[in-house]
Amino acid sequence: MNEGQLSLLGSATVRDRVVVSDAFELLGTLPDESVDLVVTDPPYESLQLHRARGTTTRLTTNWFQTVPNARLPELFAAVHRVLRRDRHFYLFCDEATADVIKQQQGIGEERLPNGARRAKAGFVYWKEIVWAKTTLDGSKIRGGTGYHYRAASERILFFEKGKRALSDLGIPDVLLAPRSSVPGPAVKPNAVVRTLILQSTVPGELVVDPFAGTGVVGVEARAHERRFLLGDIDLAWLDPSLAGVAPPGVARTFRSEVDPSEPPDLEVLAEAPPEVRDAAEAAGWLDAGAPTPELHELLRIRPVEREAALRRSLRAPPSPEEPQLLQSWRAWALLGGRIS
């Protein structure tokens, strides 16, 4: 990636792109006032607190590097620079990170006549939008992590540069949606991302997510005729539908000649047939028939939440030198979907 390649993204003739890039470096290559919307979910520092305390098993596998709180002002300055006038910025975060951002940005009690509050980076801050996490059928709120009133929601901080009316003023500030079933860390639901994009852009405008993850921002931008630029240092979980605009060899867009097969229950590996144990040993899960620390780490994760971590553990192209069964497991891990 170079600055010349990305400098064209402000042009309406340039369409969609996915790049492997550090978020700060990606934003640094973009021209001033060249972007119409930023929607992103940085891997915030408070996740390390959950890892250290063990309050959420889904994060014990160290899926991704976190962004230190000290760099968040740099992120805000970069986003403000690349956004055009009269545009919006949405940032997903937890309660702890929201508090840090408000303190860093000097967002206090004083409000403007319209009710918004000024932020140091140059934005005005409107409010926290709440993503309330429901059961799959949407019938009730589904509790999450924590000990005191388990977390069942996530914050979306809503910032504005200049003044731009939302597309639909009737949308509430609580968005109901189940957690995404797409494999990957901290995946945001399509319905929530779709609402943000439709509220703050029109067809043809450019949407950027520098912490792209699975690329849900790009999926929804494309579906609604917006252009997009996605970046991440690890595109292992990128949605396969974005393969055509991603660098070659991205893991979830990988196609193997080996037939994929899902690994067996990890709890019974030690008692599994010999060919399964051989594959498990080659994968690093068993050593002389005994569970390894890597397997113990996977077993700490609740089975219902284990799939993404299991795929991460197996993420490598199948090698002819490995047992055939392990090659099939790796093909499953890279496929990005369940075997029907």
Side-chain angles (χ1 to χ4, degrees):
M1 181 185 65
N2 60 59
E3 186 171 351
Q5 288 176 312
L6 293 180
S7 64
L8 296 175
L9 283 165
S11 167
T13 61
V14 177
R15 292 204 63 83
D16 312 329
R17 184 173 300 174
V18 181
V19 297
V20 178
S21 175
D22 171 83
F24 296 93
E25 292 179 1
L26 174 60
L27 292 170
T29 65
L30 298 179
D32 293 353
E33 300 193 351
S34 59
V35 173
D36 297 296
L37 174 66
V38 174
V39 180
T40 198
D41 176 29
Y44 31 84
E45 183 179 302
S46 64
L47 294 175
Q48 297 288 9
L49 178 64
H50 297 302
R51 287 172 178 158
R53 291 180 176 176
T55 52
T56 172
T57 54
R58 291 185 298 129
L59 298 172
T60 58
T61 51
N62 197 27
W63 279 342
F64 43 76
Q65 300 175 15
T66 54
V67 175
N69 288 339
R71 296 202 71 184
L72 291 174
E74 180 185 351
L75 174 64
F76 272 71
V79 171
H80 187 271
R81 181 187 65 80
V82 302
L83 271 181
R84 301 181 193 274
R85 290 285 303 172
D86 306 324
R87 298 298 192 268
H88 295 152
F89 169 34
Y90 296 103
L91 184 139
F92 286 82
C93 65
D94 64 356
E95 181 182 13
T97 305
D99 290 343
V100 169
I101 289 172
K102 291 174 186 177
Q103 183 177 23
Q104 290 175 337
Q105 293 296 318
I107 299 171
E109 296 182 359
E110 184 177 351
R111 293 181 180 268
L112 299 170
N114 60 9
R117 290 176 280 177
R118 295 193 186 279
K120 287 181 179 178
F123 294 105
V124 294
Y125 168 69
W126 279 103
K127 61 165 54 183
E128 292 183 3
I129 301 166
V130 175
W131 162 33
K133 303 175 182 181
T134 70
T135 53
L136 289 176
D137 61 5
S139 62
K140 62 180 180 179
I141 302 296
R142 179 176 182 266
T145 61
Y147 295 119
H148 306 99
Y149 298 101
R150 296 178 68 82
S153 64
E154 192 164 331
R155 274 68 174 166
I156 308 167
L157 305 187
F158 174 30
F159 294 88
E160 186 174 50
K161 178 179 179 179
K163 179 62 178 176
R164 179 174 183 144
L166 296 170
S167 298
D168 183 353
L169 297 179
I171 299 293
D173 59 5
V174 177
L175 305 177
L176 302 176
R179 292 178 175 86
S180 176
S181 60
V182 174
V187 183
K188 299 300 175 276
N190 287 62
V192 171
V193 172
R194 181 184 314 131
T195 295
L196 303 179
I197 290 174
L198 293 180
Q199 282 286 75
S200 295
T201 59
V202 296
E205 290 189 325
L206 176 63
V207 184
V208 170
D209 182 358
F211 298 96
T214 62
V216 60
V217 169
V219 171
E220 288 300 323
R222 170 186 278 175
H224 296 91
E225 300 181 337
R226 277 70 167 168
R227 296 177 296 131
F228 65 85
L229 169 64
L230 309 180
D232 208 305
I233 58 173
D234 184 355
L235 294 175
W237 303 99
L238 188 70
D239 190 293
S241 70
L242 301 175
V245 294
V250 170
R252 284 191 71 210
T253 64
F254 180 85
R255 291 294 177 264
S256 171
E257 296 181 359
V258 179
D259 291 333
S261 64
E262 188 169 355
D265 291 340
L266 299 184
E267 285 82 0
V268 299
L269 280 181
E271 292 78 38
E275 66 170 356
V276 175
R277 295 200 304 272
D278 289 345
E281 294 219 4
W285 296 340
L286 295 177
D287 183 6
T292 63
E294 182 176 355
L295 179 58
H296 281 302
E297 189 74 10
L298 288 169
L299 289 172
R300 289 178 59 194
I301 304 173
R302 291 190 301 167
V304 70
E305 297 171 334
R306 188 181 293 159
E307 180 181 330
L310 184 58
R311 289 181 186 274
R312 180 78 174 190
S313 174
L314 291 166
R315 197 194 75 204
S319 169
E321 288 75 32
E322 295 177 327
Q324 182 73 25
L325 187 56
L326 177 55
Q327 295 181 48
S328 296
W329 294 350
R330 293 201 191 281
W332 166 83
L334 299 177
L335 186 62
R338 294 184 180 275
I339 307 302
S340 58

